[in-house]
Amino acid sequence: MPARPRVHLTAPVPREVAAALEGDFDLVDSPEGADGILVALTARVDERYLERAGPQLRVVANYAVGVNNIDLDATAARGVVVTNTPDVLTRATAELAVGLMLALLRRIAEGDRFIRRDSEWEFSLEFMLGSSLDGTELLIVGPGRIGRETARLAEAFGARSAFAGRGADLQGLLPAADVVSLHVPLTDATRHLIDAEALSAMRQSAVLVNVARGPVVDERALVDALRDGVIAGAALDVYEREPEVEEGLLSLENVVLTPHLGSATRDTRVAMGMLCVDALRAVLLEGRRPANAVG
Ligand code: GLV
Ligand code: GLV
């Protein structure tokens, strides 16, 4: 029997995914000599990493939809196929975006922090009033699968959506939005897309939501804008220097912070893992390019 292909995992995976991998591959502790690599988004696959893995490497399955952690020029130059995990995480990520909007607008996280501080309180008619998602103008920056699904879910809460795609006049669209939600991939063109200038184009009453990638927002400029009342609030699931969080964000009440949970449901993570397993099988066992190849 020919040797089974060797697969390296850069991070532990759900047990269902591990079991599926073990059925077809030899799991190896190091990328050196691996035929396939299953990559968590915290690992950076660049020229150095590929050099270390070696010329036998044929496929890198990214356990994420965003592939900004992979140097696609370097993989292409070596003929290494790169795959991602589209579709299966669209709903989960859109759900988190809307959850963050509600948490921010209705002050859910702030209220939770307030209760946990053992604060004295009683019901009162003017206490901790927020605003509703109902009737808001939602600007989706990045009208891909996740952006469009976020709009669809938010519309069920009464929001009206507008979309800013590639080449759109973002500065021109920002002033009309009550909620700005980011769904672009991280590329050279989207790094610091939301900078001091973009923030100052937003309404003073508007809020920013980011479930995409941290560096799309200039985090320092965001802290200044929140402190100075340039915008009203922000909800972030991703960070510019992840897992580090800009210190200034931590003390602001008009900010909701979650630790990169966009796709973090068990079912979603298993489905993402199974897409990775299928991609590794396609390339390593069937010699074909999978539909979710991005490079
Ligand atoms: C998560 O951030 C992903 O890109 O899948
Ligand atoms: C990612 O899957 C997107 O298109 O939003």
Side-chain angles (χ1 to χ4, degrees):
M1 223 178 99
R4 304 196 314 165
R6 295 152 61 94
V7 169
H8 173 65
L9 317 183
T10 71
V13 295
R15 62 182 182 284
E16 298 90 329
V17 179
L21 288 166
E22 279 158 8
D24 284 323
F25 306 112
D26 281 344
L27 302 188
V28 295
D29 289 339
S30 146
E32 279 154 50
D35 303 296
I37 301 181
L38 193 158
V39 177
L41 59 83
T42 45
R44 166 129 197 95
V45 175
D46 54 11
E47 183 54 41
R48 229 179 93 216
Y49 190 96
L50 295 167
E51 183 63 37
R52 188 176 152 215
Q56 77 300 323
L57 180 67
R58 288 166 61 201
V59 53
V60 167
N62 204 38
Y63 208 125
V65 72
V67 290
N68 53 286
N69 56 313
I70 315 272
D71 180 340
L72 294 177
D73 292 333
T75 50
R78 289 167 176 264
V80 173
V81 175
V82 177
T83 66
N84 71 342
T85 62
D87 302 314
V88 293
L89 48 53
T90 298
R91 175 64 69 83
T93 309
E95 221 177 55
L96 188 77
V98 174
L100 288 174
M101 286 171 204
L102 293 168
L104 185 61
L105 295 174
R106 297 302 309 277
R107 304 173 69 170
I108 296 171
E110 183 186 350
D112 180 83
R113 288 192 297 271
F114 173 84
I115 296 269
R116 286 172 197 275
R117 279 197 301 270
D118 250 341
S119 316
E120 288 271 339
W121 73 284
E122 62 178 23
F123 174 85
S124 106
L125 293 170
E126 293 279 18
F127 178 57
M128 224 182 249
L129 304 185
S131 59
S132 179
L133 190 51
D134 187 27
T136 57
E137 299 291 337
L138 168 63
L139 179 64
I140 298 284
V141 181
R145 289 164 292 234
I146 297 169
R148 292 196 309 270
E149 182 68 1
T150 300
R152 202 181 66 81
L153 298 181
E155 283 161 13
F157 287 89
R160 284 183 300 270
S161 313
F163 298 89
R166 218 173 293 166
D169 171 22
L170 184 60
Q171 285 294 119
L173 291 166
L174 287 169
D178 301 302
V179 178
V180 176
S181 193
L182 306 180
H183 303 280
V184 288
L186 174 61
T187 64
D188 288 341
T190 63
R191 188 175 299 275
H192 282 197
L193 183 66
I194 303 299
D195 56 7
E197 193 189 349
L199 290 162
S200 57
M202 287 172 63
R203 288 185 184 167
Q204 250 184 309
S205 56
V207 299
L208 178 72
V209 176
N210 189 8
V211 298
R213 284 292 182 270
V216 174
V217 176
D218 179 341
E219 233 168 63
R220 295 228 165 92
L222 177 62
V223 170
D224 289 344
L226 290 164
R227 259 198 205 126
D228 300 346
V230 173
I231 66 168
L236 308 176
D237 186 47
V238 288
Y239 303 91
E240 193 173 352
R241 287 170 291 279
E242 210 169 295
E244 204 183 301
V245 177
E246 180 68 32
E247 172 90 38
L249 291 168
L250 300 176
S251 54
L252 294 171
E253 287 293 0
N254 54 343
V255 170
V256 176
L257 305 169
T258 50
H260 205 146
L261 299 180
S263 67
T265 72
R266 171 155 291 282
D267 288 351
T268 300
R269 286 285 163 78
V270 171
M272 292 166 71
M274 290 307 180
L275 268 188
C276 294
V277 176
D278 288 346
L280 292 165
R281 282 183 182 140
V283 176
L284 298 177
L285 301 178
E286 298 156 23
R288 88 186 150 76
R289 189 177 161 82
N292 56 328
V294 294

